[in-house]
Amino acid sequence: MEFITMKMIEEVIATIRERSSAQPRVGMILGSGLGALANSIEVSDEIPTADLPHWPVSTVEGHAGRLIFGVLEGQNIMVLQGRTHYYEGYSTNQIGLPIRVMKSLGAEFLFVSNAAGAINADFNPGDLMCITDHVNLIGMAGLSPLRGPNLDEYGPRFPDMARAYDWDLIALARQAAQEENILLHEGVYFCLSGPEFETQADLKFVQLAGADAVGMSTVAEVTVARHSGMRVLGLSGITNKTNLDGKTFVSHEKTLAAGETIAPKLAALIAGVLRRI
Ligand code: HPA
């Protein structure tokens, strides 16, 4: 099936409703290494995503993923652990399905995190960046998650993408970072498909396009969230320097190692924003 339909979304919701009556206010998609945050949630319900019809089940993290419903910092949240990426073979429409489901269950907010490589020379492995905007290369190349029949129930055919990352949430993230003494950069996230890391020439292109960080996720989800008016906070954990200098070698193992420094800071920052909304 190329496009996600209302019927498919309704079937997912019906399956979730057999197991949970949760009314989340905030939907979250956690990238690599955010176990620490998931552990502090007062969990009410947990559903393996493999049990859900039509769901794009994660193939990359070694486990299929789960939906967690519960309370964190007094907020009703739902968390998708084990997000999917375009490079796994799913369409961008399929990657957007979890966002549709979050919205239909009541979520007004999407908080999304990812692992990213540094384009900005001031960024170091272990740093955090609050996403202020993105470049949607996959979408520009014709693979928008909104391609196909418009789901009018969620939003208009031609949604605006100005201020896709909510300025008030960015301000709250700044406050939370200051309070927690966390260095928080701000910048533009550039999404390309992967799974291969970039050539040096790719990276020069990305830099010229105005990016501060580069990764392989997030943008499809954010586009779908904005279609339905959800307010988005995006956070990148900078896992590595990139090969802009022609001498830097990147590997998945290196990106995972920095995740351990990033996870507790990201968890503290997200908790700080949750307390403020
Ligand atoms: N490039 C693309 N995606 C990434 C990187 C990178 O250097 N690091 C983590 N995700």
Side-chain angles (χ1 to χ4, degrees), residues 115-118 192 197-198 214-216 239-242 250 255:
L192 31 68
F197 289 112
E198 305 73 34
V214 62
M216 307 173 189
T239 54
N240 56 282
K241 293 268 192 188
T242 55
V250 183
T255 68

Side-chain angles (χ1 to χ4, degrees), residues 8-259:
M8 292 161 79
I9 297 166
E10 282 156 15
E11 286 167 8
V12 177
I13 305 260
T15 309
I16 291 173
R17 282 298 179 226
E18 286 165 14
R19 306 213 203 158
S20 173
S21 57
Q23 306 278 346
R25 182 168 182 237
V26 182
M28 292 192 199
I29 300 185
L30 302 182
S32 324
L34 267 188
L37 184 69
N39 291 340
S40 44
I41 301 169
E42 298 159 48
V43 178
S44 57
D45 306 294
E46 235 182 80
I47 305 175
T49 54
D51 294 357
L52 299 171
H54 315 299
W55 198 272
V57 174
S58 168
T59 61
V60 80
E61 340 251 334
H63 64 86
R66 53 189 181 147
L67 281 183
I68 303 167
F69 295 90
V71 178
L72 185 62
E73 300 295 337
Q75 300 282 355
N76 286 322
I77 66 168
M78 77 181 272
V79 179
L80 169 59
Q81 262 194 324
R83 72 130 60 84
T84 36
H85 306 79
Y86 180 70
Y87 62 73
E88 292 175 71
Y90 293 109
S91 71
T92 54
N93 295 71
Q94 286 174 301
I95 294 167
L97 171 71
I99 310 300
R100 300 299 195 197
V101 170
M102 286 174 176
K103 174 73 182 182
S104 288
L105 293 175
E108 302 160 38
F109 297 91
L110 174 68
F111 289 8
V112 58
S113 76
N114 59 44
I119 298 294
N120 189 317
D122 294 337
F123 295 3
N124 289 302
D127 287 355
L128 290 184
M129 180 186 89
C130 189
I131 305 177
T132 54
D133 207 347
H134 70 220
V135 178
N136 183 3
L137 187 70
I138 300 176
M140 284 180 193
L143 300 171
S144 167
L146 304 178
R147 179 169 173 265
N150 186 53
L151 300 182
D152 297 330
E153 291 84 346
Y154 288 98
R157 171 77 288 188
F158 301 108
D160 187 16
M161 286 295 286
R163 299 191 186 185
Y165 298 83
D166 189 282
W167 285 12
D168 293 332
L169 292 177
I170 293 171
L172 297 182
R174 274 183 209 132
Q175 284 176 22
Q178 202 168 22
E179 184 179 272
E180 302 284 340
N181 245 319
I182 294 168
L183 171 66
L184 182 63
H185 301 295
E186 294 180 18
V188 173
Y189 176 82
F190 191 109
C191 174
L192 31 68
S193 132
E196 68 282 5
F197 289 112
E198 305 73 34
T199 65
Q200 189 182 8
D202 286 335
L203 291 162
K204 286 183 180 165
F205 170 78
V206 168
Q207 186 179 44
L208 273 173
D212 297 288
V214 62
M216 307 173 189
S217 68
T218 303
V219 162
E221 294 99 314
V222 170
T223 304
V224 171
R226 291 303 302 148
H227 180 236
S228 66
M230 291 173 81
R231 295 173 59 192
V232 175
L233 175 70
L235 298 165
S236 289
I238 304 298
T239 54
N240 56 282
K241 293 268 192 188
T242 55
N243 187 34
L244 274 164
D245 60 2
K247 294 182 290 200
T248 305
F249 293 88
V250 183
S251 68
H252 186 53
E253 289 66 34
K254 278 190 198 164
T255 68
L256 291 178

